Amino acid sequence: MEFAELIKTPRVDNVVLHRPFYPAVEGTLCLTGHHLILSSRQDNTEELWLLHSNIDAIDKRFVGSLGTIIIKCKDFRIIQLDIPGMEECLNIASSIEALSTLDSITLMYPFFYRPMFEVIEDGWHSFLPEQEFELYSSATSEWRLSYVNKEFAVCPSYPPIVTVPKSIDDEALRKVATFRHGGRFPVLSYYHKKNGMVIMRSGQPLTGTNGRRCKEDEKLINATLRAGKRGYIIDTRSLNVAQQARAKGGGFEQEAHYPQWRRIHKSIERYHILQESLIKLVEACNDQTHNMDRWLSKLEASNWLTHIKEILTAACLAAQCIDREGASILIHGTEGTDSTLQVTSLAQIILEPRSRTIRGFEALIEREWLQAGHPFQQRCAQSAYCNTKQKWEAPVFLLFLDCVWQILRQFPCSFEFNENFLIMLFEHAYASQFGTFLGNNESERCKLKLQQKTMSLWSWVNQPGELSKFTNPLFEANNLVIWPSVAPQSLPLWEGI
Amino acid sequence: MEHIRTTKVEQVKLLDRFSTSNKSLTGTLYLTATHLLFIDSHQKETWILHHHIASVEKLALTTSGCPLVIQCKNFRTVHFIVPRERDCHDIYNSLLQLSKQAKYEDLYAFSYNPKQNDSERLQGWQLIDLAEEYKRMGVPNSHWQLSDANRDYKAAICRCSQPLSGFSARCLEDEHLLQAISKANPVNRYMYVMDTRPKLNAMANRAAGKGYENEDNYSNIRFQFVGIENIHVMRSSLQKLLEVNGTKGLSVNDFYSGLESSGWLRHIKAVMDAAIFLAKAITVENASVLVHCSDGWDRTSQVCSLGSLLLDSYYRTIKGFMVLIEKDWISFGHKFSERCGHLDGDPKEVSPVFTQFLECVWHLTEQFPQAFEFSEAFLLQIHEHIHSCQFGNFLGNCQKEREELKLKEKTYSLWPFLLEDQKKYLNPLYSSKSHRFTVLEPNTISFNFKFWRNMYHQFDRTLHPRQSVFNIIMNMNEQNEQLEKDIKDLESKIKQRKNKQTDGILTKELLHSVHPESPTLKTSLCFKEQTLLPVNDALRTIEGSSLADNRYSEYAEEFSKSEPAVVSLEYGVARMTC
């Protein structure tokens, strides 16, 4: 097996482990293909099992022959290992480094993990698009399931099955796909049963500098409007950014061609700006000097809570359009795979009681994040400690979870799940034994044969024994729309993370 | 009253403080001898006590009327628009007069009458007895005369004001007293002297003939500065904080940079650090500590009272907290009237020293959610009344002044009213067992200090969480108690009639008779099931009276684990239903 080549020293005795908030533990360190294990070999003490894929960065230091490896994890933990012997220490460090940066997805732990529990319900089939569609097909007949993307030919980042207006045929969809970034033609994201209004999402229209238009695109989104009604297009970029995008072939919907739609720009930051924000935030949290002014200015400089506020505000606006104005909306940014999904999914948390239950929230993540093609593999490759900056990494999903936590804090009895559930999702998005968050979209997951070769996270979470850890005992189903406050005084920092 | 010219103004608008689109409510404004009252079109009433008014401001006339902005000491800010300028002017002048009384006798406490007779009032005043408190601490004993606080007979917290040492003066008697304090500690031969001022301030004081103890002149003392800023710095810090928070459309960054530049949390942390230093000296080194600042009634009170709170769990109970305030604040002459601006006096003497103390306590309750018998609501209520002048406790600047005012004859004490309502102030997570003997060791790393929204925005409902876990747990606990009572009632009925038929049938009958009248069964399904099942169970397992208490405390125990209230209740319910 290839892992053996990477492991230069499989075992070292007398290693001391230091973790914050725990007493130091001395024991034996073992390296396996996917784990770093430290065991004190006594019955009563727990062992440390750390997935290599959870390792974000490592530092090594030497004092005499005693080596120290500091491991910084993607879930923000920092642990320290004191290893006697310079050679062992170097070997261990380079082995960890190699094992934590494996290139090939198929070498990742989910492909080797064999569950120790009995699978009662296969999570891969828990949230099929057909079942989700049935939930609102009883209320409306204006929508249909389209199999146009069956071979992932029309849009590589969409799932094979999407929901579109009934009056639009597959041929038109193909045409619209060529007019939208990444082939992401407008699809249904959420149907508000109360008044029949909908949230749709898409990629930016490819108008370019010469103002290209697409009749089918106009027809598609107009098909969702009732007679005489207007809709809103929420662009998650500022007007400036949207205008600049035209130079690269992108753009936004021109009023002249979409007279029934009002466009609103609600800027949400993306990519490296978010990543830098996270790096600064974590650095501020790890600062051990007890200096109040420094902490506050660092917290401010990280801009993390500003991003939270921006996202929540955009989501509240979307929800307001639907519930209060009685207007349908289309949401997009550039690709429609990041800020767009934050807004569509948070708006659903606000509007839809079902998405505040455990299963409903799982379905939401499955629908609005996994199937909608949020590139988890790219976005979650590295976390806050990594120095090698790649422009694809961004804590988009973490920001979403943080926003959910903010709403949960304001409505502690309206959610069936608790904070631990959100933290668990965060951890598994970055490093997991399950295949759920592998790959960037359904097409990649299909090629990797994840359904056959790996276990779904939902198979594990939805066991009664596990569920009880994530259940909020104060939950009392609240069928109302919940309106969170977005004032800075109402948005504290999430300590759990 | 002679100050009131207009008692009622109609068509007044109350503006939403944070709305950028000038959202408003229309209603009628009434002015009474003690309160300003606004009733909006939904009949919602807003009462503002005149004594709570910190400032009234009349802004420039606008097309819709004359704006009147009122800032209160309890951090309420209201913005009215009065249609006619004349009315606005009258109200403005009346409020200016009414909110700043010149004599103690004009304060609300002297006219407030809660319909109690004299003996009840006297009992109220005797509720908190300091001599009793010193007895509880075990002083006087062979080492201590009745003079100051002590803790487990060994190490002690003492307090005083700064020595008048100047650059070279010394006082042999003072040195002897310190020597005696030090000797009174049988374990440790040295003691700490804590000066709560920044060193620079203390040095500056030497020029005025005051200063700090010279370690050379006093044997066995260890001297320590802890750098808490003076009342003037604190006053302007709070002022800045409130300015930032009053901004419309505040951005996250402006909020945090404002929070930082106000320095408020830094000051809170300094007070907390000092209290922790004090507690450590006593618990770890068993050394007595003498605390002082300039005058010995502001920073010293903060540090001594917080130190006591960390050391002694008694002060973390509702009654104990009252004793603590009586001991370290009221009896040691914290100048409440000057610091709170009860009368029209020197604005430079006003300072949020006591508010800071309450905030420090709040930070402790956040870090140790189970260690305190009282909840945030208790702190807010006390804060309300240090400014309200409704009760006599906080009037005057020292004990002597209070006796001269004959407060005990003419006014009422706050404490019995709080105790009567104590249900409102209970902390549902309080666990007296697990924390009874422990000393609290708070972590003062910066990110543990948060902005106290429920204090500084207590009247801005839109900023608050929409559902309160505390209230729900409280209600559940109450329901459980009621249910346990029902069980016991049923049980005794069964026993009374046990010679008739079989138990099973009887239980069912009884259930039918109890169900409709039980007031607690209205909420959720699981509670209904609960009553059904334990009744049958009761015959076997419930013996005697202890069960109600057990189950109650089980809940509290469960909450103590790291995720409060999470799995435990679920188990509680599951266990009861299956």
Side-chain angles (χ1 to χ4, degrees):
Chain A
M1 183 154 129
E2 326 163 43
F3 293 123
E5 296 160 21
L6 297 174
I7 304 171
K8 292 178 184 151
T9 303
R11 220 189 91 173
V12 188
D13 287 324
N14 303 323
V15 174
V16 182
L17 165 74
H18 301 273
R19 283 176 293 181
F21 313 115
Y22 290 96
V25 180
E26 189 181 325
T28 303
L29 179 75
C30 296
L31 287 186
T32 72
H34 294 104
H35 283 98
L36 177 153
I37 304 162
L38 189 118
S39 165
S40 62
R41 303 223 163 153
Q42 280 154 4
D43 294 338
N44 50 356
T45 51
E46 48 147 358
E47 296 174 341
L48 171 80
W49 285 68
L50 186 71
L51 267 178
H52 293 316
S53 55
N54 194 356
I55 295 172
D56 204 23
I58 61 171
D59 288 336
K60 32 186 196 288
R61 269 202 318 248
F62 292 97
V63 181
S65 67
L66 181 77
T68 297
I69 301 180
I70 295 166
I71 299 178
K72 298 175 177 176
C73 303
K74 288 176 190 169
D75 55 14
F76 310 138
R77 269 182 302 172
I78 295 183
I79 61 173
Q80 182 188 330
L81 298 169
D82 294 339
I83 300 172
M86 170 116 54
E87 203 193 324
E88 279 85 354
C89 185
L90 281 171
N91 282 346
I92 295 279
S94 65
S95 307
I96 295 176
E97 215 157 344
L99 289 166
S100 62
T101 52
L102 294 175
D103 292 331
S104 166
I105 296 181
T106 50
L107 291 178
M108 305 279 262
Y109 188 50
F111 288 92
F112 298 85
Y113 173 71
R114 290 293 159 262
M116 307 282 276
F117 59 87
E118 189 193 348
V119 178
I120 304 164
E121 176 197 337
D122 185 357
W124 290 117
H125 304 295
S126 292
F127 308 101
L128 296 175
E130 289 91 343
Q131 292 165 3
E132 295 292 310
F133 181 70
E134 267 169 33
L135 289 174
Y136 37 78
S137 59
S138 58
T140 173
S141 55
E142 291 163 29
W143 297 86
R144 68 179 181 98
L145 287 178
S146 164
Y147 299 83
V148 68
N149 199 35
K150 210 166 162 192
E151 308 296 329
F152 304 106
V154 178
C155 171
S157 62
Y158 270 172
I161 310 171
V162 291
T163 312
V164 294
K166 201 166 217 172
S167 56
I168 306 295
D169 61 26
D170 284 358
E171 202 40 51
L173 291 178
R174 283 197 188 91
K175 279 193 184 142
V176 176
T178 61
F179 179 67
R180 289 277 172 179
H181 191 115
R184 295 174 70 91
F185 53 87
V187 294
L188 180 74
S189 161
Y190 170 66
Y191 179 84
H192 197 46
K193 278 187 185 154
K194 193 169 125 193
N195 57 12
M197 294 302 133
V198 295
I199 301 178
M200 287 181 297
R201 53 178 158 75
S202 68
Q204 64 176 343
L206 303 174
T207 55
T209 39
N210 48 14
R212 209 179 128 214
R213 62 187 285 193
C214 171
K215 284 272 164 55
E216 286 79 7
D217 188 72
E218 291 157 29
K219 200 177 149 211
L220 192 162
I221 68 166
N222 285 339
T224 65
L225 293 179
R226 305 258 167 91
K229 278 276 199 180
R230 278 164 68 99
Y232 290 88
I233 295 173
I234 297 179
D235 193 323
T236 61
R237 303 163 295 181
S238 67
L239 180 59
N240 238 334
V241 175
Q243 277 166 344
Q244 281 161 14
R246 287 193 299 195
K248 292 182 205 149
F252 52 87
E253 294 83 356
Q254 298 287 338
E255 281 90 348
H257 304 153
Y258 298 86
Q260 286 167 285
W261 294 82
R262 245 191 83 191
R263 208 177 60 244
I264 304 171
H265 291 274
K266 269 279 164 209
S267 164
I268 295 176
E269 290 296 349
R270 54 203 69 218
Y271 308 142
H272 64 277
I273 295 180
L274 300 181
Q275 187 71 7
E276 273 160 30
S277 170
L278 177 66
I279 291 171
K280 281 188 195 156
L281 176 73
V282 172
E283 199 225 305
C285 292
N286 286 332
D287 184 351
Q288 293 294 321
T289 59
H290 289 228
N291 183 321
M292 182 60 71
D293 287 356
R294 217 159 103 194
W295 157 247
L296 287 173
S297 69
K298 277 185 166 181
L299 179 62
E300 184 208 336
S302 81
N303 275 329
W304 183 260
L305 292 170
T306 306
H307 300 316
I308 298 280
K309 184 177 150 91
E310 277 169 1
I311 298 166
L312 274 175
T313 311
C316 287
L317 177 82
Q320 211 168 354
C321 288
I322 297 274
D323 193 67
R324 294 289 157 96
E325 304 276 315
S328 287
I329 50 174
L330 169 69
I331 302 175
H332 68 74
T334 306
E335 290 97 341
T337 54
D338 295 282
S339 53
T340 305
L341 304 182
Q342 289 173 331
V343 177
T344 57
S345 49
L346 283 169
Q348 292 180 49
I349 300 259
I350 294 169
L351 293 168
E352 162 80 305
R354 179 173 168 255
S355 63
R356 295 172 224 143
T357 63
I358 290 183
R359 281 198 83 90
F361 192 69
E362 290 169 358
L364 183 77
I365 290 186
E366 186 71 33
R367 210 171 58 229
E368 290 300 301
W369 290 88
L370 293 164
Q371 303 205 10
H374 175 66
F376 278 99
Q377 193 75 41
Q378 287 179 349
R379 297 287 181 264
C380 302
Q382 298 291 345
S383 172
Y385 298 118
C386 191
N387 299 321
T388 58
K389 270 188 205 129
Q390 286 181 8
K391 64 173 184 176
W392 297 120
E393 285 138 15
V396 176
F397 187 62
L398 175 59
L399 274 165
F400 159 70
L401 293 177
D402 197 336
C403 290
V404 176
W405 179 81
Q406 302 283 356
I407 306 177
L408 188 142
R409 252 187 66 105
Q410 295 189 29
F411 298 88
C413 310
S414 301
F415 288 83
E416 193 191 359
F417 51 86
N418 59 24
E419 181 181 355
N420 295 340
F421 188 62
L422 299 174
I423 295 175
M424 180 276 292
L425 288 172
F426 158 67
E427 288 170 353
H428 282 279
Y430 279 83
S432 172
Q433 65 269 44
F434 302 105
T436 299
F437 292 108
L438 290 182
N440 289 312
N441 48 51
E442 283 302 286
S443 153
E444 284 188 26
R445 280 179 208 114
C446 208
K447 282 187 204 121
L448 290 166
K449 297 201 169 57
L450 292 181
Q451 293 208 12
Q452 293 83 42
K453 292 189 174 168
T454 72
M455 181 61 58
S456 162
L457 173 65
W458 312 131
S459 310
W460 171 70
V461 172
N462 287 337
Q463 301 172 95
E466 295 299 325
L467 274 182
S468 65
K469 289 184 216 157
F470 304 124
T471 310
N472 174 5
L474 300 174
F475 174 60
E476 217 166 319
N478 175 353
N479 283 319
L480 302 171
V481 175
I482 53 179
W483 298 106
S485 158
V486 293
Q489 292 95 325
S490 318
L491 302 175
L493 189 68
W494 188 6
E495 288 170 353
I497 290 250
Chain B
M1 291 251 318
E2 73 270 34
H3 302 305
I4 299 177
R5 268 174 235 128
T6 309
T7 53
K8 182 177 170 188
V9 187
E10 284 175 4
Q11 290 297 312
V12 173
K13 282 200 189 112
L14 174 63
L15 290 189
D16 183 327
R17 185 177 165 200
F18 296 105
S19 160
T20 38
S21 57
N22 284 345
K23 224 163 51 184
S24 69
L25 289 166
T26 306
T28 308
L29 197 62
Y30 299 88
L31 196 59
T32 75
T34 54
H35 287 86
L36 181 70
L37 169 64
F38 178 78
I39 302 180
D40 67 25
S41 47
H42 309 294
Q43 300 304 311
K44 212 183 124 249
E45 296 174 5
T46 307
W47 291 82
I48 297 171
L49 188 65
H50 295 326
H51 297 312
H52 270 147
I53 296 176
S55 73
V56 202
E57 221 182 328
K58 217 175 72 176
L59 304 182
L61 197 64
T62 65
T63 46
S64 51
C66 191
L68 188 69
V69 180
I70 301 174
Q71 305 243 8
C72 299
K73 292 170 184 169
N74 52 8
F75 309 115
R76 185 202 286 271
T77 301
V78 284
H79 191 151
F80 291 116
I81 292 188
V82 185
R84 281 173 45 208
E85 199 194 356
R86 217 201 126 86
D87 293 332
C88 186
H89 191 72
D90 284 348
I91 291 187
Y92 171 73
N93 279 333
S94 306
L95 288 180
L96 272 190
Q97 302 285 336
L98 291 166
S99 64
K100 292 261 178 254
Q101 300 289 3
K103 296 198 304 281
Y104 280 116
E105 284 73 14
D106 290 335
L107 293 177
Y108 187 29
F110 290 90
S111 58
Y112 175 66
N113 185 356
K115 300 196 176 63
Q116 281 189 347
N117 59 33
D118 286 353
S119 71
E120 279 173 317
R121 179 170 64 197
L122 199 63
Q123 268 175 15
W125 280 110
Q126 283 162 349
L127 191 71
I128 306 293
D129 180 1
L130 286 186
E132 194 66 25
E133 166 60 9
Y134 288 114
K135 216 191 260 169
R136 189 189 70 85
M137 290 195 284
V139 276
N141 58 32
S142 55
H143 298 297
W144 283 91
Q145 289 183 314
L146 192 53
S147 66
D148 214 329
N150 183 324
R151 157 107 194 141
D152 62 23
Y153 320 134
K154 290 184 191 128
I157 308 172
C158 308
R159 46 187 292 172
C160 66
S161 65
Q162 64 184 340
L164 303 176
S165 62
F167 287 104
S168 58
R170 50 188 290 193
C171 168
L172 284 176
E173 287 77 10
D174 192 54
E175 286 163 27
H176 281 146
L177 177 61
L178 255 67
Q179 186 85 33
I181 293 173
S182 169
K183 283 214 176 102
N185 179 347
V187 183
N188 218 321
R189 281 288 154 227
Y190 61 87
M191 67 179 292
Y192 280 100
V193 175
M194 270 173 90
D195 191 325
T196 56
R197 297 167 294 182
K199 191 167 183 183
L200 209 64
N201 300 19
M203 308 246 281
N205 261 318
R206 282 169 71 168
K210 303 163 188 172
Y212 54 92
E213 291 83 356
N214 186 337
E215 267 181 326
D216 300 337
N217 294 342
Y218 294 83
S219 50
N220 303 326
I221 71 164
R222 296 189 182 180
F223 198 80
Q224 179 77 30
F225 285 107
V226 287
I228 302 174
E229 297 289 348
N230 65 26
I231 57 167
H232 312 295
V233 176
M234 300 306 189
R235 180 180 58 242
S236 60
S237 169
L238 180 63
Q239 193 57 42
K240 275 186 212 151
L241 181 77
L242 296 179
E243 268 165 35
V244 171
N245 289 327
T247 318
K248 280 182 187 178
L250 180 66
S251 81
V252 176
N253 281 359
D254 288 348
F255 173 62
Y256 280 101
S257 63
L259 194 58
E260 181 197 339
S261 68
S262 77
W264 183 254
L265 288 178
R266 191 182 67 223
H267 300 315
I268 296 288
K269 181 169 145 56
V271 175
M272 199 83 114
D273 279 330
I276 292 167
F277 178 86
L278 171 71
K280 280 224 174 97
I282 290 190
T283 52
V284 180
E285 300 185 42
N286 263 316
S288 292
V289 183
L290 173 71
V291 184
H292 70 73
C293 48
S294 302
D295 299 309
W297 52 56
D298 293 313
R299 291 169 266 200
T300 305
S301 295
Q302 289 178 329
V303 174
C304 288
S305 53
L306 271 179
S308 311
L309 205 61
L310 293 176
L311 292 167
D312 190 341
S313 65
Y314 172 68
Y315 297 125
R316 294 174 223 141
T317 63
I318 287 185
K319 182 90 185 282
F321 194 65
M322 295 172 179
V323 170
L324 185 69
I325 291 176
E326 279 285 339
K327 173 171 80 79
D328 271 331
W329 291 88
I330 297 174
S331 81
F332 277 106
H334 175 67
K335 307 204 289 183
F336 274 104
S337 275
E338 284 194 358
R339 295 291 178 261
C340 301
H342 288 158
L343 297 177
D344 192 12
D346 184 358
K348 286 220 166 65
E349 286 294 322
V350 176
S351 186
V353 176
F354 190 75
T355 308
Q356 282 184 323
F357 163 68
L358 291 179
E359 177 159 342
C360 288
V361 177
W362 174 76
H363 281 290
L364 290 177
T365 62
E366 286 283 290
Q367 278 201 36
F368 303 96
Q370 291 187 285
F372 291 83
E373 189 189 9
F374 49 83
S375 66
E376 187 180 40
F378 186 58
L379 300 175
L380 293 177
Q381 190 66 6
I382 291 176
H383 183 261
E384 181 89 2
H385 284 296
I386 60 166
H387 294 291
S388 73
C389 306
Q390 189 174 352
F391 298 95
N393 304 60
F394 304 108
L395 300 185
N397 288 314
C398 60
Q399 206 69 349
K400 184 164 158 256
E401 207 173 19
R402 274 185 275 273
E403 269 160 37
E404 284 163 7
L405 286 169
K406 298 204 170 44
L407 288 177
K408 292 198 178 175
E409 290 142 55
K410 293 182 177 166
T411 69
Y412 294 86
S413 166
L414 168 66
W415 309 129
F417 293 88
L418 290 183
L419 270 184
E420 201 173 295
D421 273 355
Q422 66 167 298
K423 231 173 160 186
K424 280 195 218 159
Y425 311 121
L426 286 176
N427 168 13
L429 304 182
Y430 178 55
S431 156
S432 56
K433 280 190 217 107
S434 62
H435 283 276
R436 174 146 288 168
F437 298 108
T438 56
V439 173
L440 300 184
E441 289 172 27
N443 183 344
T444 59
I445 192 151
S446 306
F447 55 71
N448 281 329
F449 290 88
K450 284 163 286 185
F451 170 69
W452 191 6
R453 183 192 57 227
N454 289 357
M455 169 66 100
Y456 303 105
H457 287 297
Q458 53 183 307
F459 295 100
D460 305 313
R461 304 300 317 173
T462 51
L463 300 183
H464 292 210
R466 308 300 201 268
Q467 297 172 319
S468 159
V469 176
F470 267 32
N471 290 349
I472 288 167
I473 297 176
M474 219 62 198
N475 289 343
M476 283 185 175
N477 281 343
E478 254 167 56
Q479 282 178 335
N480 281 339
E481 272 176 86
Q482 180 65 39
L483 293 172
E484 303 291 356
K485 234 176 83 196
D486 287 356
I487 293 172
K488 265 186 244 156
D489 288 352
L490 287 169
E491 222 185 341
S492 58
K493 279 186 195 164
I494 291 171
K495 272 184 191 150
Q496 280 166 17
R497 294 164 52 176
K498 66 182 165 192
N499 44 3
K500 281 191 202 168
Q501 297 187 9
T502 60
D503 286 343
I505 298 162
L506 263 175
T507 332
K508 269 182 201 158
E509 272 174 27
L510 284 166
L511 255 180
H512 285 298
S513 68
V514 165
H515 242 285
E517 72 201 31
S518 174
T520 58
L521 302 176
K522 55 186 181 288
T523 46
S524 61
L525 199 78
C526 63
F527 281 103
K528 283 181 191 158
E529 287 172 0
Q530 266 180 41
T531 44
L532 278 168
L533 292 157
V535 173
N536 297 327
D537 216 18
L539 296 171
R540 270 176 283 120
T541 56
I542 302 176
E543 299 286 346
S545 62
S546 64
L547 194 94
D549 306 325
N550 275 344
R551 224 169 255 178
Y552 188 84
S553 62
E554 258 169 39
Y555 279 20
E557 289 275 325
E558 287 286 349
F559 290 138
S560 70
K561 286 165 195 163
S562 55
E563 309 101 25
V566 179
V567 191
S568 52
L569 253 176
E570 199 64 16
Y571 282 153
V573 171
R575 223 177 43 104
M576 289 171 92
T577 47
C578 62

